[in-house]
């Protein structure tokens, strides 16, 4: 039997074990996925242990996505570009780091819209935003407006994206700045944690800035429909729930490990069931 896992802190509420084990089971793969709560000080020992035990692969979540890099043997281009790893593959005893977060978000967006040549407003400039923005550049977007509470952080990420060939404009989160940026875009993605349970009444973008021809995605998936997404839906925009991106990043990890097509619909059904049962208050 192959063994996979998730390392992070905390990991108790993760739906990854449910999604991945369901996918292994339906494809008849003899494998098990478990979650491991690993505090920051134990990260190096944990990774060495996973390697020594011959685990086939694992996911990495907060707070280890960046700090795991020195403990790995090789980084794939996506992970190296983003500077963070969410998926590790054990290739003949060498731990190879991948990042499926950005590509997962792009897969969710591409189900609803063409990204090539489009203008996009991204709210937030943390790790999730960095992963998404690098993947958007890979898709050939025309430009990214990057709005963040800390302007300095938005400027720093924009500088990095320009170096990677992107056309990126930083701003703060004032109503005036947001109105100017939202005017011009066809896609809006929330990569901040605003709206996450229990602050479910909050939203990073005033509802009146949504337009009916926009595609709007939230990375927050608890609640499944955030106020940000509700406002967008009520304005007539097409919306993509955060759970889509969550499932896509897991499906892409599954495909890296097994070299088989992931049963995406099943993984989404299982994730929704688990979130409905206990994740969403
Ligand atoms: P992640 O890896 O999930 O992106 P992160 O790196 O901690 O997490 O980033 C969180 C993002 O949410 C940041 O863009 C943060 O803004 P700052 O860079 O200004 O901190 C944003 N964020 C968190 N709480 C916020 C709030 N109350 N209002 C606006 N933005 C917020």
């Amino acid at each position: 039997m192959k063994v996979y896992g998730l390392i992070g802190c905390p990991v108790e509420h993760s739906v990854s074990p449910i999604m991945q084990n369901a996918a292994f089971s339906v494809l008849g793969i003899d494998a098990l996925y478990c979650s491991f709560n690993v505090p920051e000080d134990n990260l190096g020992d944990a990774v060495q242990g996973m390697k020594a035990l011959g685990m086939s692969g694992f996911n990495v979540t907060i707070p280890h996505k960046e700090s795991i890099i020195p403990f790995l043997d090789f980084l794939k281009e996506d992970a190296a570009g983003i500077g963070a790893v969410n998926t590790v593959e054990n290739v003949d005893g060498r731990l190879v780091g991948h990042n499926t977060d950005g590509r997962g978000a792009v897969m969710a967006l591409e189900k609803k819209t063409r990204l090539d040549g489009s203008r996009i407003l991204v709210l937030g400039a943390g790790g999730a935003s960095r992963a998404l923005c690098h993947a958007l550049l890979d898709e050939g977007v025309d430009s990214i407006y990057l709005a963040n509470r800390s302007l300095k952080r938005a400027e720093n990420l924009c500088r990095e994206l320009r170096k990677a060939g992107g056309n990126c404009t930083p701003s703060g989160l004032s109503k005036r700045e947001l109105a100017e940026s939202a005017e011009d875009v066809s896609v809006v993605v929330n990569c901040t944690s605003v709206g996450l349970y229990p602050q479910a009444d909050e939203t990073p973008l005033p509802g009146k800035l949504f337009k009916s021809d926009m595609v709007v995605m939230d990375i927050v998936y608890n609640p499944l429909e955030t106020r940000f997404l509700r406002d967008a839906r009520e304005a007539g925009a097409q919306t993509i729930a955060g759970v889509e991106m969550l499932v896509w990043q897991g499906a892409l990890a599954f495909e890296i490990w097994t070299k088989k097509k992931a049963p995406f619909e099943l993984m989404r059904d299982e994730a929704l069931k688990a979130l409905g049962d206990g994740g969403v208050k």
Side-chain angles (χ1 to χ4, degrees):
M1 173 183 275
K2 293 191 168 178
V3 181
Y4 297 88
L6 166 70
I7 57 172
C9 190
V11 291
E12 286 77 12
H13 297 291
S14 170
V15 299
S16 292
I18 290 164
M19 276 195 305
Q20 299 291 354
N21 285 320
F24 290 140
S25 168
V26 77
L27 292 188
I29 297 171
D30 187 21
L32 175 70
Y33 184 107
C34 327
S35 56
F36 300 98
N37 198 63
V38 177
E40 277 177 77
D41 287 349
N42 293 357
L43 178 64
D45 288 346
V47 176
Q48 272 196 322
M50 289 173 127
K51 190 173 179 174
L53 292 170
M55 280 181 64
S56 300
F58 51 96
N59 284 130
V60 185
T61 190
I62 291 169
H64 304 316
K65 288 187 183 186
E66 293 169 14
S67 46
I68 193 166
I69 289 175
F71 302 111
L72 301 178
D73 298 304
F74 183 74
L75 289 190
K76 286 283 187 184
E77 205 176 304
D78 49 11
I82 296 163
V85 166
N86 81 325
T87 302
V88 177
E89 180 190 16
N90 186 341
V91 183
D92 301 328
R94 295 180 76 225
L95 297 182
V96 177
H98 300 251
N99 194 309
T100 68
D101 283 333
R103 182 91 202 109
V106 157
M107 293 293 286
L109 284 167
E110 278 180 336
K111 293 282 155 200
K112 300 270 171 149
T113 187
R114 260 193 77 157
L115 293 171
D116 183 18
S118 61
R119 285 192 286 274
I120 308 207
L121 170 59
V122 177
L123 307 168
S129 170
R130 164 177 286 113
L132 170 69
C133 289
H134 278 277
L136 290 175
L137 294 191
D138 290 343
E139 294 307 307
V141 297
D142 174 80
S143 44
I144 298 173
Y145 294 90
L146 193 71
N148 194 53
R149 178 175 61 181
S150 148
L151 177 61
K152 188 100 211 106
R153 215 168 168 200
E155 287 171 344
N156 288 341
L157 181 51
C158 272
R159 198 170 308 123
E160 179 186 316
L161 294 168
R162 285 196 207 107
K163 275 193 203 144
N167 176 9
C168 187
T169 309
S171 79
L173 281 184
S174 73
K175 278 191 184 141
R176 185 184 53 77
E177 288 168 299
L178 289 173
E180 273 175 23
S181 309
E183 185 62 40
D184 202 22
V185 299
S186 58
V187 178
V188 182
V189 185
N190 175 35
C191 289
T192 75
S193 49
V194 179
L196 177 66
Y197 178 85
Q199 265 85 45
D201 279 341
E202 293 180 13
T203 178
L205 192 78
K208 63 179 190 307
L209 297 182
F210 290 115
K211 291 189 236 143
S212 59
D213 57 359
M214 286 175 169
V215 172
V216 178
M217 184 164 86
D218 202 335
I219 63 155
V220 174
Y221 56 85
N222 182 5
L224 287 170
E225 186 180 63
T226 55
R227 174 160 169 215
F228 175 78
L229 287 181
R230 192 174 71 236
D231 288 349
R233 178 172 53 78
E234 285 172 357
Q238 287 194 72
T239 59
I240 305 169
V243 70
E244 296 291 314
M245 175 183 158
L246 172 77
V247 178
W248 271 115
Q249 64 76 32
L252 294 171
F254 179 91
E255 291 180 358
I256 287 170
W257 294 327
T258 64
K259 318 294 177 213
K260 290 188 196 311
K261 191 165 165 27
F264 179 82
E265 304 291 332
L266 170 87
M267 294 173 85
R268 177 171 51 201
D269 287 350
E270 292 295 323
L272 285 172
K273 233 190 295 166
L275 288 167
D277 283 350
V280 183
K281 314 294 187 296

